[in-house]
Amino acid sequence: MDQARQVFSVDLLERFAAKGRGLITCMAAGNDVIVLGTSKGWVIRHDFGVGDSHEFDLTVGRPGEQSIHRVFVDPGGSHCIASVTGSGGSDTFYIHAKWSKPRILSKLKGLVVNAVAWNRQQITEASTKEVILGMDNGQLHEIAVDEKDKREKYIKFLFELSELPEAFTGLQMETASVSTGTRYYLMAVTPTRLYSFTGIGSLEAVFAKYLDRAVHFMELPGEIPNSELHFFIKQRRAVHFAWLSGAGIYHGGLNFGATHSFADGDENFVENKALLDYSRLCEGPEALKPSSFAVSEFHFLLLIANKVKVVNRISEQIIEELQFDQTSESLSRGIIGLCSDATAGLFYAYDQNSIFQVSVNDEGRDMWKVYLDIKDYAAALVNCRDQLQRDQVYLVQAEAAFASREFLRAASFFAKINYVLSFEEITLKFIGVGEQDALRTFLLRKLDNLTKDDKCPITMISTWTTELYLDKINRLLLEDDMALENRNSECYTIIKEFRAFLSDCKDVLDEATTMKLLESYGRVEELVYFASLKEQYEIVVHHYIQQGEAKKALEVLQKPAVPIDLQYKFAPDLIMLDAYETVESWMTRKDLNPRKLIPAMMRYSNEPHAKNETHEVIKYLEFCVHRLHNEDPGVHNLLLSLYAKQEDDSALLRFLQCKFGKGRENGPEFFYDPKYALRLCLKEKRMRACIHIYSMMSMHEEAVALALQVDPELAMAEADKVEDDEDLRKKLWLMVAKHVVEQEKGAKRENIRRAIAFLKETDGLLKIEDILPFFPDFALIDDFKEAICSSLEDYNKQIEQLKQEMNDATHGADNIRNDISALAQRYAVIERDEECGVCRRKILTVSGEYRMTRGYTSTGPMAPFYVFPCGHAFHAECLIAHVTRCTNEAQAEYILDLQKQLTLLGSETRRDQNGGINEESITSVTPAEKLRSQLDDAIASECPFCGDLMIREISLPFILPEEAQQVTSWEIKPSLANQRSLSLPV
């Protein structure tokens, strides 16, 4: 084997490891720590992790020659047990990594320790926890040591072989936590037997059970000088074991799971047992037995003579032979033994002088081939490192299944291959043998193994698979026409599977190509199903309509993703197919535009319907008008036309009388076309409806004329509707009266009596003289005597009432004239010290102190002023200035403009002394007086302190914007130059 490809390699670790303390007799390793025992009773500890070594002399105080029989070290490298034998007997010592001196275990005096089982799950650097020692006399002892105690905590006797007393040569222990405590698993070997112990609780309790029951063991024939037992540890758990026995290497897997029940005494936790016969290790007639061995994950390292043969545990083939570079002195005895460091993953070999390290280089790299050769495909796949290796495993499985004509199984394996065989080669294999089912299976599995990025291959394979499905369905239908009716048939199953495939692949299948395939194979149901998946709802709905399944078509149209245009497109067909379901579907949606459904509704309305049948279009239109408050004139006109065609006109009249626009400001009361409604009602001879429409269009004369043909009472009601036009109302009642007079039959006096009774119904609107022209010329006046007298009395009462009203008007005019005269004499009293409300100066001040107000005439030595009923007085000039300042800009400009005009006109007209107004001024008003009156209205209509002007001033700021500069001038600015510091006396 190529050296570069070797799994195991040997390197010399240390040539003279005993350091002159004798020859090496035994060795143990753990966690990069090597402990050697020598022939002179020395224990040498090499710690390669920290790079130092320690020597311990175990012969102190012992007579004669002493030799180290066996040394043991825990997986962590902290605890060491050594057994010394010699002429003085045997002793057992314990050495901790931190101790400078060993401690003798006095209770084990005279006993030779051959094997030690460490509690790997619980051991720590400070404490050994439970440790089991196997003696050469077939006894088992338990020991525990804490580093801080400097001595053992206890030593307990556990068990002794009584049936066949033999020395224990190997011990291994495993623990597992269960709900009731800790379960112990122990394997022990002697030269001929392998014992197994298990139990829950303490070790003492576990072994106490075996006092009254047999111990489970495996016995193999043959003899071997040194029987060994090794566990392979992976992630701190034992995975499998191997026993070096006289018959061969007995090995198997270990299962310490909770699934095993030991209540019945079954203590065999070994699985997949096997025996490697020594005869497979050499070609000679007599097989050589190993003197020592070690166990790796997949191999056995067997020390035979001076070589280590590496045997694959699975294939039982020798894959390598390891040679050692020994000194001439060591060649005579050869390699003494092997040991393993489970923590570091290393193996060691030693002779009497040297230590050799056996390193492992990726021992599992070719294990997939080993498992493949023995046809353990699952294990082979687990050990594959890349897709190419997995492809070779799948290929072997596929070829084997194909050869045995298990084509469907072969297709599943071929689908997992990516490199070693091309897609075309695999498909041609199935096509060559005519296995379309297997080919379809292969394509389906291939789709599962492709990634989303392989868009083109996915589409091509999906399309091919679709065609294979369609071909399979048609073949099955040709064989059995009734296959679709049987739900247990293969055809039904294939169709169901095909639909699931379409659903899964709807996004990768080409829509046009797939639909053409489905159509060409005549699979309409699947075509509709695929169209539904691809949201091609038009095809789906069309198919259901063709099949007469309106309800299914409507269910499709109700889906949120369906365009609303399809509702309008298929509405004519659907309403003819099933009017009830169609209208019910429309009424569930509020987003439909009823105007676009009018063609469908008119098509349905043109068809004859039974008398008792509910008119579905009317039901939907009523829903739109009353529930949805639709205002479309087309909808209202259509509903009106359908009402007009009904024999009973009650629904039509209710519709015409309903005010659909109520609640809307300035909105119409109806939305139908009244002219169209009138023409339609005239055509259908719905006279009452025509009367209502005439009235609604304010064509009252036509309404009354038509009503007189139908029902005079209705004509009277129409005539009463006119209230705002008295002449028209009278004219309408005259039409009714004429009709009444002309239509009355019977005696002349009876006709006259009825006509006079009709006059009473008009509430005085018509008089006897209004209806006299309607009577024939030869009617006697005596017949109307009573009515004429009554009319004359009414006229007399009206004349008397008019006279009274004229007298009241004359009296009122006299009162107004007197009030005007009294107003001219009105005055107010001003106290001498009365002040102006604005300037706070006396009102009665000589006018020389003020500039004469423009447009005013001096009333003497005093300035013009105003006095208000509330008692406030103001100089005219002050009042004008105050009002101008406080009112808005437009009003202020208006006041100033009036002042300007008064100034231009001059002071031609003078007021009387003290501002009095004589009677002549009432009748003749000059332009100046008119302007002055307007100015008085503008500034003195109300007191500025008591009226609205004062209320509006609340919202004005105290400081106006134009006074900002004045406010700034009042700011106090500090002047640093003029500041003085005054010292105050304390």
Side-chain angles (χ1 to χ4, degrees):
M1 183 176 291
D2 185 10
Q3 185 69 22
R5 293 286 299 169
Q6 280 191 337
V7 177
F8 293 87
S9 59
V10 177
D11 298 298
L12 177 64
L13 185 61
E14 192 168 354
R15 178 65 72 184
F16 300 102
K19 299 183 178 182
R21 303 298 186 180
L23 303 177
I24 299 175
T25 58
C26 53
M27 177 178 168
N31 196 23
D32 278 338
V33 173
I34 294 177
V35 179
L36 302 175
T38 68
S39 58
K40 294 184 178 181
W42 285 78
V43 172
I44 302 174
R45 185 178 186 276
H46 295 278
D47 191 342
F48 293 99
V50 297
D52 63 355
S53 62
H54 299 278
E55 302 174 9
F56 302 93
D57 185 5
L58 304 185
T59 62
V60 178
R62 294 170 56 85
E65 295 183 1
Q66 306 295 325
S67 176
I68 305 299
H69 174 63
R70 295 291 299 271
V71 290
F72 309 93
V73 66
D74 76 295
S78 299
H79 310 281
C80 175
I81 295 176
S83 178
V84 182
T85 60
S87 58
S90 59
D91 284 305
T92 304
F93 291 84
Y94 169 81
I95 306 172
H96 192 274
K98 295 182 178 180
W99 291 359
S100 59
K101 293 182 180 181
R103 297 293 186 269
I104 189 171
L105 304 177
S106 57
K107 290 186 179 181
L108 299 179
K109 180 69 175 177
L111 299 177
V112 177
V113 179
N114 274 348
V116 173
W118 304 97
N119 189 345
R120 289 189 306 276
Q121 278 67 45
Q122 299 181 15
I123 194 170
T124 63
E125 182 182 359
S127 175
T128 62
K129 301 300 181 181
E130 302 89 345
V131 180
I132 302 177
L133 307 180
M135 308 302 179
D136 64 347
N137 60 357
Q139 293 181 354
L140 295 177
H141 293 262
E142 177 188 355
I143 185 176
V145 182
D146 282 351
E147 183 267 334
K148 62 181 180 179
D149 294 338
K150 305 300 182 181
R151 61 185 303 276
E152 71 276 11
K153 294 181 66 174
Y154 61 83
I155 297 178
K156 300 177 183 178
F157 171 79
L158 295 178
F159 180 77
E160 183 177 8
L161 295 174
S162 57
E163 181 187 355
L164 180 62
E166 288 185 309
F168 284 109
T169 58
L171 286 178
Q172 292 289 344
M173 179 169 57
E174 191 78 9
T175 61
S177 296
V178 294
S179 59
T180 55
T182 301
R183 179 180 289 279
Y184 291 91
Y185 303 90
L186 180 70
M187 292 184 74
V189 296
T190 65
T192 59
R193 291 183 178 181
L194 183 146
Y195 294 91
S196 58
F197 305 88
T198 185
I200 300 176
S202 65
L203 281 174
E204 194 172 11
V206 169
F207 282 96
K209 296 187 304 181
Y210 293 98
L211 295 177
D212 54 358
R213 88 178 191 191
V215 181
H216 187 278
F217 65 89
M218 163 67 70
E219 186 172 7
L220 293 177
E223 296 182 1
I224 191 168
N226 185 23
S227 176
E228 296 182 17
L229 174 67
H230 294 291
F231 280 5
F232 173 72
I233 311 300
K234 188 174 185 179
Q235 296 179 352
R236 300 192 64 184
R237 301 299 299 183
V239 178
H240 55 260
F241 79 99
W243 172 33
L244 186 65
S245 68
I249 299 178
Y250 180 71
H251 61 95
L254 295 172
N255 188 345
F256 303 115
T259 57
H260 285 273
S261 175
F262 299 94
D264 57 355
D266 181 12
E267 298 166 350
N268 189 6
F269 40 82
V270 178
E271 298 178 341
N272 303 322
K273 308 167 190 175
L275 179 66
L276 175 61
D277 198 312
Y278 296 134
S279 61
R280 299 177 61 88
L281 305 180
C282 61
E283 299 177 356
E286 185 177 351
L288 295 177
K289 297 180 182 180
S291 59
S292 183
F293 88 123
V295 181
S296 69
E297 185 173 4
F298 298 108
H299 298 88
F300 298 134
L301 282 69
L302 305 179
L303 179 59
I304 301 177
N306 264 358
K307 298 179 181 179
V308 171
K309 292 186 178 183
V310 180
V311 180
N312 190 284
R313 180 170 56 86
I314 307 302
S315 65
E316 298 185 348
Q317 299 294 322
I318 300 175
I319 64 166
E320 293 175 0
E321 287 190 1
L322 306 179
Q323 303 284 347
F324 296 95
D325 182 16
Q326 293 182 276
T327 60
S328 56
E329 299 86 16
S330 303
L331 283 175
S332 59
R333 188 175 177 186
I335 301 298
I336 299 173
L338 299 174
C339 69
S340 61
D341 185 347
T343 305
L346 296 174
F347 301 91
Y348 299 98
Y350 60 96
D351 60 16
Q352 60 185 7
N353 291 316
S354 306
I355 301 174
F356 302 92
Q357 178 176 300
V358 180
S359 302
V360 184
N361 181 24
D362 193 13
E363 63 171 324
R365 63 191 178 197
D366 293 325
M367 285 306 297
W368 68 274
K369 290 183 180 180
V370 175
Y371 284 112
L372 185 60
D373 290 340
I374 64 173
K375 298 182 180 181
D376 188 350
Y377 303 117
L381 288 173
V382 170
N383 287 276
C384 287
R385 303 293 179 84
D386 52 41
Q387 185 59 45
L388 186 60
Q389 293 177 2
R390 284 189 287 272
D391 279 1
Q392 295 182 60
V393 178
Y394 292 138
L395 179 60
V396 173
Q397 291 178 275
E399 294 289 359
F402 195 90
S404 60
R405 303 190 65 80
E406 298 179 15
F407 297 111
L408 295 178
R409 186 165 176 267
S412 299
F413 290 124
F414 275 126
K416 298 177 182 179
I417 297 174
N418 293 325
Y419 301 109
V420 296
L421 273 184
S422 66
F423 176 80
E424 293 79 3
E425 289 176 306
I426 298 172
T427 54
L428 287 174
K429 280 179 175 288
F430 293 110
I431 294 174
V433 294
E435 282 293 328
Q436 289 198 0
D437 291 345
L439 177 59
R440 187 179 71 252
T441 301
F442 166 71
L443 295 178
L444 290 172
R445 299 297 180 270
K446 195 68 179 176
L447 282 175
D448 293 339
N449 295 331
L450 291 175
T451 62
K452 293 181 179 180
D453 297 333
D454 302 326
K455 295 182 180 179
C456 185
I458 288 176
T459 301
M460 294 175 62
I461 294 173
S462 300
T463 305
W464 191 2
T465 306
T466 301
E467 189 168 8
L468 291 175
Y469 267 118
L470 292 171
D471 182 70
K472 177 67 174 179
I473 293 170
N474 280 2
R475 287 176 184 271
L476 292 174
L477 289 176
L478 288 174
E479 295 174 1
D480 183 5
D481 294 340
M482 307 300 292
L484 288 177
E485 299 179 3
N486 183 8
R487 290 182 173 269
N488 297 323
S489 64
E490 182 183 0
C491 183
Y492 184 85
T493 305
I494 290 294
I495 291 175
K496 186 177 180 182
E497 182 182 331
F498 179 45
R499 291 194 176 190
F501 167 77
L502 290 176
S503 178
D504 293 338
C505 298
K506 67 179 185 298
D507 296 328
V508 297
L509 283 169
D510 181 70
E511 183 177 322
T513 304
T514 305
M515 287 190 173
K516 286 181 181 178
L517 273 175
L518 294 168
E519 185 178 1
S520 64
Y521 277 86
R523 298 308 304 165
V524 180
E525 295 290 337
E526 283 69 38
L527 174 61
V528 172
Y529 179 76
F530 182 72
S532 178
L533 292 174
K534 296 297 290 184
E535 298 184 354
Q536 292 290 341
Y537 299 111
E538 185 173 352
I539 298 174
V540 180
V541 175
H542 180 74
H543 168 75
Y544 285 137
I545 291 175
Q546 293 295 325
Q547 297 295 321
E549 297 178 348
K551 195 168 185 179
K552 290 185 178 180
L554 290 169
E555 288 176 357
V556 174
L557 291 174
Q558 288 287 54
K559 294 181 179 179
V562 178
I564 197 171
D565 292 341
L566 294 183
Q567 289 273 8
Y568 309 129
K569 181 175 182 179
F570 291 106
D573 295 329
L574 287 170
I575 199 170
M576 295 303 297
L577 189 60
D578 191 335
Y580 174 78
E581 291 292 344
T582 302
V583 169
E584 289 295 323
S585 175
W586 289 351
M587 290 170 64
T588 59
R589 300 188 60 162
K590 296 183 180 179
D591 57 344
L592 290 177
N593 185 358
R595 186 180 185 85
K596 295 185 178 181
L597 297 172
I598 288 178
M601 292 188 285
M602 293 191 67
R603 178 182 175 185
Y604 171 78
S605 301
N606 292 332
E607 296 292 327
H609 301 283
K611 291 184 178 180
N612 297 327
E613 180 183 355
T614 302
H615 201 296
E616 298 299 331
V617 170
I618 292 179
K619 182 174 72 173
Y620 178 66
L621 291 174
E622 288 176 342
F623 171 78
C624 295
V625 170
H626 298 294
R627 297 288 297 278
L628 301 182
H629 306 291
N630 186 278
E631 301 177 359
D632 193 332
V635 173
H636 286 254
N637 288 338
L638 178 58
L639 180 56
L640 188 143
S641 69
L642 296 177
Y643 279 143
K645 293 178 181 178
Q646 291 182 332
E647 294 183 1
D648 185 4
D649 62 353
S650 58
L652 174 62
L653 292 174
R654 285 195 303 270
F655 178 77
L656 292 174
Q657 293 168 4
C658 184
K659 296 182 179 180
F660 300 103
K662 62 182 178 180
R664 289 178 45 189
E665 294 183 2
N666 301 324
E669 292 185 352
F670 55 88
F671 301 102
Y672 52 85
D673 185 356
K675 296 180 180 179
Y676 168 76
L678 183 61
R679 289 195 303 270
L680 184 65
C681 293
L682 289 172
K683 179 182 176 182
E684 298 293 337
K685 295 182 172 54
R686 301 287 182 251
M687 296 308 172
R688 290 181 178 273
C690 293
I691 294 169
H692 179 82
I693 296 172
Y694 275 134
S695 176
M696 183 180 59
M697 296 172 65
S698 299
M699 300 172 67
H700 301 288
E701 294 183 37
E702 290 81 354
V704 171
L706 186 59
L708 290 173
Q709 300 177 17
V710 178
D711 185 359
E713 295 293 335
L714 181 60
M716 294 179 188
E718 289 296 327
D720 263 342
K721 290 182 180 179
V722 179
E723 297 178 353
D724 53 350
D725 190 344
E726 193 70 22
D727 293 337
L728 177 60
R729 187 166 180 263
K730 185 174 182 180
K731 183 178 180 180
L732 296 178
W733 274 105
L734 285 173
M735 292 174 62
V736 177
K738 181 179 180 180
H739 179 80
V740 170
V741 172
E742 292 177 351
Q743 293 298 322
E744 288 295 342
K745 304 296 182 182
K748 295 180 180 179
R749 291 182 179 276
E750 185 67 24
N751 293 346
I752 294 173
R753 191 177 299 110
R754 290 178 180 175
I756 294 173
F758 173 76
L759 291 178
K760 295 179 180 179
E761 295 181 8
T762 63
D763 294 331
L765 181 65
L766 297 182
K767 305 296 182 182
I768 186 64
E769 61 268 24
D770 295 327
I771 65 171
L772 284 176
F774 302 145
F775 288 93
D777 295 338
F778 51 82
L780 296 178
I781 194 67
D782 292 341
D783 297 331
F784 302 97
K785 180 180 179 179
E786 183 180 351
I788 292 173
C789 291
S790 176
S791 178
L792 291 175
E793 289 177 359
D794 290 340
Y795 281 127
N796 186 44
K797 288 180 181 179
Q798 292 179 8
I799 291 171
E800 293 296 330
Q801 185 176 359
L802 287 174
K803 287 181 179 180
Q804 182 65 32
E805 290 176 358
M806 292 174 64
N807 292 332
D808 292 342
T810 303
H811 182 69
D814 293 339
N815 291 336
I816 292 172
R817 192 176 290 107
N818 294 332
D819 290 341
I820 292 174
S821 299
L823 183 64
Q825 302 301 321
R826 187 178 60 177
Y827 64 91
V829 177
I830 301 297
E831 299 292 338
R832 179 187 299 178
D833 56 350
E834 184 72 27
E835 296 179 349
C836 173
V838 177
C839 66
R840 311 309 297 174
R841 296 191 179 187
K842 298 290 189 286
I843 288 294
L844 304 178
T845 307
V846 179
S847 60
E849 298 181 12
Y850 290 91
R851 180 175 56 86
M852 183 64 66
T853 306
R854 289 178 295 174
Y856 284 91
T857 304
S858 175
T859 57
M862 294 177 292
F865 60 89
Y866 286 91
V867 179
F868 292 92
C870 62
H872 291 112
F874 303 91
H875 292 116
E877 184 72 18
C878 295
L879 180 62
I880 292 173
H882 178 75
V883 173
T884 304
R885 183 177 71 254
C886 296
T887 190
N888 56 60
E889 184 177 355
Q891 182 69 11
E893 290 181 357
Y894 174 69
I895 294 171
L896 295 176
D897 183 60
L898 291 175
Q899 281 188 297
K900 183 178 180 181
Q901 293 182 43
L902 283 172
T903 304
L904 293 176
L905 289 175
S907 55
E908 297 176 358
T909 303
R910 300 292 182 182
R911 294 193 178 194
D912 293 339
Q913 189 72 21
N914 296 328
I917 301 176
N918 57 25
E919 190 172 350
E920 293 180 358
S921 65
I922 298 174
T923 58
S924 60
V925 180
T926 63
E929 290 294 336
K930 184 177 181 180
L931 289 174
R932 189 176 297 109
S933 176
Q934 293 177 0
L935 181 62
D936 289 344
D937 292 340
I939 64 174
S941 61
E942 61 179 359
C943 176
F945 287 176
C946 303
D948 293 338
L949 187 64
M950 177 60 71
I951 296 174
R952 288 196 299 270
E953 285 185 357
I954 296 175
S955 61
L956 297 177
F958 290 109
I959 301 174
L960 298 177
E962 56 269 18
E963 297 175 339
Q965 185 175 3
Q966 185 178 357
V967 173
T968 307
S969 66
W970 281 87
E971 290 184 0
I972 300 175
K973 298 181 180 180
S975 178
L976 300 176
N978 296 330
Q979 288 182 353
R980 296 180 180 180
S981 59
L982 302 177
S983 58
L984 301 177
V986 179

